[in-house]
């Protein structure tokens, strides 16, 4: 009856749509409740049956798989099946693939990375990873990627890496292994070992596009974390991109609507943006050719949406790369015209990407004029129907502001602020506040805009904004009286004045109210009345600031002291402990017979110290917590100029500045701190008094200052191309080529490295020849140059070797070296290639200071004249040393050969002793010019008697001691930096004797 009455009640109100909808909902609820009851009964019955089957233990593999599948379905419906977890784990070790597959599926659904049963699966997974069955490998990799946490990753990462680099692994296994390593790296970066870097990078040359795509995704994440270790991927990316885009090296299955593998192109283009622009001419040429081809293809109208999307994805990433390189003028002109069209596109995605790329361009370019021509279009985009486009338009407007257009743009932003989305209002307020401060040209505009900003969007004004206004007013005397009068107008003229304005009024009037006390409408009583009327409508923190303001009024305006004491008396009984303590202590201070303590406590606040801007810090924090780490910051060129120092604050001139028609309020400082409850206290002691805001800065106040670039910084990794990792037997060819222009630098059973060089004045050209001596082809052939003296020796790679070298074939590489000044450290080169496993060697190139010398011919008179002109120390170096190489000997002929090979002109007949060698040469450098160098080498070939070299060095006639196989070498040069370097090189080579001749 009740049910009938309920239904009747529904229809008694009329047979309308609402009543019918209510009836349908009522019936549906009854059906759902009944269905849930039936489902629970059925599931409980089935679970009891499955539990009994497992308990009996007589199930075949097929039956186990069947019942685990049932458990999976029940689990997906939301019911508890904990008793089946162990059975699923046992099924992982089954022999049949179908059973193993269900076991792995169940493990990935039932278990999580902290599950207590997970350790039971590790051995089974390791066994499947080491299996020769690729399907079992893939099942294991899926389980690790979906379930594995830090502990599982540490236990199995080496096996995953082995599958990735194994030459016997199938491409689809390598793809899954790369993505599994990426998943583990995101869980715990320490899982991926640093020594794997070179081997992982080599896989970017894999002939399978899918493997290259997966490995590139892995390298992108690793390079962001450790760019030094993965810098070799830069050249790989440039080479692979050219092969795809220019040479058309792309298999049919990866050709997406006539666009060669757009996913890989985008990743390669973005990967190169994680590193500083290369100085190598050849690599830049590769990049320019690829980008030019991408831009040319973008001109062709695509025939369908899919092709359009693919082309645009590649195009915008190419544009970002060109902006990052920031040197290719022709390309920059092209992309500027492209971007102007993109931001007017009818497609939302294209408009967004165009605005983002233009924001990137604004962060890099010196001249904002071309971008400011699109200002009206960008402002119109603030009203776009898509929130992401509106947000990106705001970023672009903020980036293209300068002193010429600051006021119009700030005005437009203030107009739009009233109707802007709540999602972007706080960020818009922050950017308006920064622009107002940075480009303020007069007092009135800065104060008016700041007050208007708070009045319009007070709820979205963060504490940093109003505290920053207080800082600026405090540090600039010309602002103080105007700001006090203006804030009083806001507080007096509006009953709905926002609380943030009341906070500013409490501080500014308490500090500077006396400056306007004689103005009409600004008497002390009117100031007191305006602030006191807002007291009851404010929060506790603001009330505490008002009480502090009133205490300062007691000191400044004795005529209204009775009204102020009354306020203190009333609130000395407040329930809030903070207000009560303040009121009581302020009342005690005001009633003292002597006002000495009161004056001390209420003394004028000192100027704020120069600190980094909290507004900028807060803004930059919003853009650092992204999955893809930026190589640039939102803002103009000045914001990004000091990126290497990771400190934007250094760009400002400080809080204290002079307002002028051509100046900008460009000081940046830290926001004033508040007390623990958020109130700014007056100077003094005993809890009632506050300290200067700068003295209460906590570590959180500075949080995020360096985050924008901290992502770009990493700990120094081992550089395998450095001299610290030179391969065994590298000295043999190196010592020989110190005296020759061409020859064999290194040779083993698999590879031969030949070298040919030519030097003219300060310029040198080195060509390296790499010959595959093995009977099998070698792949992923890579060279990495390490220039240890980049400021003194400029290296420019003009060509790269082929990545694949067939048996008996040869590839080559050209490198140009320019001696800009005196350098001491020769460059080294890392050579790595795949020949079954990764093979690598590091060699030192015979590019030394001697190579940039030209032998000179002097008469005996000229030699001694110049020898005396140069004089002794510091432009002289002298050393006594002997032959140290085992089995080596020294003769006059071999010594002369070495000296002449080191580019000294031997002057015969100059020294009275015919055994002595006298030489002259001219050293050429680009920046330092030419240096004249003179040499005198005194060898001793007599029979050995045995006396310490230290004693020999002290003897005037050192050969009188009969020490054989010894040299005394004296070098003088017109610059004091030259002799020590030449001395070291001469000693190293002469001490080898005639072994390397």
């Amino acid at each position: 009856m009740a049910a009938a009455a309920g239904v009747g009640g529904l229809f008694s109100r009329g047979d309308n749509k609402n009543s019918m909808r209510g009836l349908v909902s009522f019936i549906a609820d009854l059906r759902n409740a009944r269905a849930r009851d039936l489902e629970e009964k059925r599931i409980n019955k089935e679970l009891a049956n499955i539990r009994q089957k497992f308990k009996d233990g007589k199930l075949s593999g097929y039956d186990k798989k069947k019942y685990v599948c049932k458990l999976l379905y029940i689990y997906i419906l939301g019911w508890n099946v904990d008793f089946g977890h162990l059975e699923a784990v046992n099924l992982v070790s089954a022999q049949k693939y179908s059973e193993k597959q269900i076991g792995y599926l169940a493990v990935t659904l039932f278990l999580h990375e902290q599950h207590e049963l997970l350790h039971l699966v590790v051995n089974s997974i390791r066994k499947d990873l080491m299996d020769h069955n690729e399907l079992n490998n893939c099942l294991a990799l899926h389980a690790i990627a979906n379930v594995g946490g830090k502990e599982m990753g540490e236990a199995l990462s080496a096996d995953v890496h082995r599958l990735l680099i194994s030459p016997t692994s199938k491409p689809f296994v390598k793809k899954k292994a790369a993505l599994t390593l990426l998943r583990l790296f995101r869980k715990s970066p320490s899982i991926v070992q640093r020594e794997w870097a070179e081997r992982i990078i080599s896989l970017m040359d894999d002939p399978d596009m899918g493997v290259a795509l997966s490995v590139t995704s892995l390298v992108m994440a690793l390079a962001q974390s450790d760019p030094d270790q993965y810098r070799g991927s830069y050249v790989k990316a440039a080479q692979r991109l050219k092969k795809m885009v220019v040479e058309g090296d792309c298999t049919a299955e990866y050709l997406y609507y006539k666009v060669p593998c757009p996913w890989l192109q985008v990743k390669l283009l973005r990967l190169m943006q994680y590193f500083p622009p290369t100085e190598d001419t050849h690599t830049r040429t590769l990049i320019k050719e690829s980008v030019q081809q991408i831009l040319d293809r973008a001109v062709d109208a695509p025939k369908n949406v899919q092709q359009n999307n693919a082309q645009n994805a590649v195009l915008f990433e190419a544009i970002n790369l060109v902006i990052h390189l920031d040197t290719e003028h022709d390309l920059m002109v092209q992309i500027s015209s492209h971007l102007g069209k993109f931001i007017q596109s009818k497609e939302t995605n294209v408009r967004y990407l165009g605005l983002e790329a233009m924001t990137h361009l604004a962060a890099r370019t010196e001249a904002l004029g071309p971008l400011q021509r699109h200002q009206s279009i960008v402002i119109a985009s603030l009203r776009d129907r898509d929130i992401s486009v509106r947000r990106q338009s705001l970023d672009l407007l903020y980036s293209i502001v300068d002193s010429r257009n600051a006021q119009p743009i700030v005005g437009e932003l203030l107009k739009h602020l009233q109707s802007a989305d709540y999602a972007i209002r706080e960020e818009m307020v922050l950017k308006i506040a920064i622009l107002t401060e940075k480009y303020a040209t007069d007092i009135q505009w800065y104060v008016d805009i700041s007050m208007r900003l708070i009045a319009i969007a007070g709820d979205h004004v963060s504490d940093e904004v109003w505290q920053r206004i207080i800082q600026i007013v405090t540090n600039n005397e010309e602002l103080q009286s105007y700001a006090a009068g203006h804030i009083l107008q806001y507080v007096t003229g509006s009953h709905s004045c926002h609380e943030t304005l009341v906070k500013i009024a409490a501080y500014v009037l308490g500090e500077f109210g006396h400056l306007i006390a004689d103005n009409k409408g600004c008497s002390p009583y009117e100031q007191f009345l305006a602030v006191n009327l807002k007291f009851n409508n404010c929060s506790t923190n603001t009330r505490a600031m008002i009480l502090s303001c009133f205490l300062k009024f007691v000191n400044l305006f004795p005529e209204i002291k009775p009204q102020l004491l009354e306020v203190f008396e009333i609130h000395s009984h407040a329930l809030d402990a903070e207000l009560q303590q303040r009121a009581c202590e302020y009342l005690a201070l005001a009633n003292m017979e002597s006002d000495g303590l009161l004056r001390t406590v209420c003394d004028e606040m000192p100027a704020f110290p120069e600190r980094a801007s909290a507004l900028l810090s807060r803004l930059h924090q919003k853009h650092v917590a992204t999955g893809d780490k930026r190589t640039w910051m939102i803002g103009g060129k000045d914001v990004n100029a000091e990126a290497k120092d990771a400190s934007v604050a250094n760009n400002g001139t400080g809080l204290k500045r002079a307002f002028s028609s051509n100046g900008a309020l460009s000081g940046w400082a830290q926001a004033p701190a508040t007390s623990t409850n958020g109130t700014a206290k007056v100077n003094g002691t005993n809890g009632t008094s506050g300290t200067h805001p700068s003295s209460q800065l906590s570590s959180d106040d500075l949080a995020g200052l360096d985050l924008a670039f901290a992502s770009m910084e990493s700990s120094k990794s081992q550089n395998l191309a450095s001299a610290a990792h030179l391969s065994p037997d590298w000295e043999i060819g190196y010592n020989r080529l110190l005296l020759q222009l061409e020859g064999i630098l290194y040779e083993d059973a698999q590879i031969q490295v030949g070298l040919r060089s030519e030097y003219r004045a300060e310029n040198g050209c080195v060509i390296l020849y790499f010959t595959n001596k093995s009977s099998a082809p070698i792949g992923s052939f890579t060279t990495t140059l390490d220039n240890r003296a980049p400021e003194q020796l400029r290296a420019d790679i003009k060509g790269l070797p082929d990545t694949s070298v067939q048996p008996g074939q040869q590839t080559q590489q050209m490198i140009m070296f320019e001696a800009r000044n005196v350098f001491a450290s020769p460059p080294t080169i890392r050579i790595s290639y795949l020949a079954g496993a990764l093979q690598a060697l590091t060699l030192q190139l015979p590019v030394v200071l001697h190579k940039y010398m030209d032998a000179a011919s002097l008469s005996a008179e000229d030699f001694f004249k110049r020898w005396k002109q140069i004089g002794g120390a510091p432009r002289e170096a002298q050393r006594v040393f002997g032959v140290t190489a085992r089995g080596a000997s020294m003769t006059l002929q071999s010594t002369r050969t070495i000296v002449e090979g080191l580019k000294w002109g031997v002057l015969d007949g100059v020294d009275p002793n015919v055994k002595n060698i006298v030489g002259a040469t001219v050293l050429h450098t680009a920046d330092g010019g030419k240096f004249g160098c003179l040499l005198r080498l005194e060898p001793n070939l007599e029979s050995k008697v045995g006396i310490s070299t230290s004693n020999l060095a002290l003897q005037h006639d050192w050969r009188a001691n009969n020490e054989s196989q010894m040299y005394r070498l004296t070098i003088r040069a017109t610059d004091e930096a030259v002799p020590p370097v030449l001395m070291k090189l001469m000693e190293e080579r002469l001490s080898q004797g005639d072994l390397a001749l």
Side-chain angles (χ1 to χ4, degrees), residues 398 401 406-407 409-411 413-414 428-453 465 468-469 472 615 657 659 663-668:
Y398 174 76
V401 173
Q407 293 192 15
I409 288 182
V410 169
L413 290 177
L414 279 173
M428 186 176 290
V429 167
L430 199 58
K431 289 179 176 176
I432 292 174
I434 292 173
L435 294 177
T436 304
E437 174 187 340
K438 189 174 183 181
Y439 295 105
T441 55
D442 61 75
I443 300 171
Q444 185 174 352
W445 185 77
Y446 174 74
V447 175
D448 290 349
I449 295 297
S450 299
M451 297 299 108
R452 186 181 166 194
L453 174 65
V465 175
R468 183 64 178 171
I469 295 172
I472 299 297
L615 299 184
R657 62 174 299 278
F659 287 89
L665 185 57
S666 56
W668 309 107

Side-chain angles (χ1 to χ4, degrees), residues 570-577 579-580:
I570 293 172
H571 293 93
S572 62
H573 304 287
L575 295 178
D576 185 82
L579 293 180
Q580 185 184 102

Side-chain angles (χ1 to χ4, degrees), residues 186 204 216-217 219-221 223-224 233-234 237-238 241 262-276 287 291 294 312-322 324 352-353 356 360 626-632:
R186 288 172 176 168
M204 293 176 65
T216 303
S217 300
V219 171
M220 285 178 66
Q224 292 181 71
S233 61
Y234 189 97
L241 184 66
W263 314 279
L264 182 56
Q265 285 192 56
V266 168
K267 290 181 182 295
L268 293 174
L269 290 165
R270 183 168 299 177
L271 175 61
M272 288 186 282
Q273 296 176 50
Y274 298 147
F275 300 92
I287 297 173
V291 172
I294 292 172
N312 283 340
V314 176
L315 175 61
F316 280 109
E317 209 57 61
I319 288 174
N320 282 323
L321 177 59
V322 173
H324 177 72
Y352 174 84
L353 292 172
E356 184 184 41
H360 186 191
T626 57
D628 200 35
K629 297 179 181 177
R630 288 181 184 267
T631 57
W632 54 281

Side-chain angles (χ1 to χ4, degrees), residues 560-613:
I560 61 171
K561 183 175 180 180
Q563 292 89 335
L564 298 169
L565 293 179
E566 183 180 353
V567 174
F568 295 151
E569 183 66 36
I570 293 172
H571 293 93
S572 62
H573 304 287
L575 295 178
D576 185 82
E578 174 73 15
L579 293 180
Q580 185 184 102
Q581 182 182 5
R582 283 177 181 255
C584 290
E585 295 189 6
Y586 292 169
L587 185 63
L589 281 171
N591 286 326
M592 285 185 175
E593 295 181 1
S594 173
D595 60 353
L597 180 59
L598 178 63
R599 290 182 178 181
T600 302
V601 171
C602 297
D603 193 13
E604 183 179 351
M605 293 288 283
F608 288 85
E610 303 297 336
R611 302 295 293 269
S613 173

Side-chain angles (χ1 to χ4, degrees), residues 129-151:
L129 288 175
M130 300 178 69
D131 200 334
H132 295 294
N133 188 329
E134 293 85 2
L135 298 178
N136 291 346
N137 297 156
C138 293
L139 290 176
L141 292 171
H142 288 166
I144 297 172
N146 285 285
V147 185
K150 181 178 180 180
E151 295 182 1

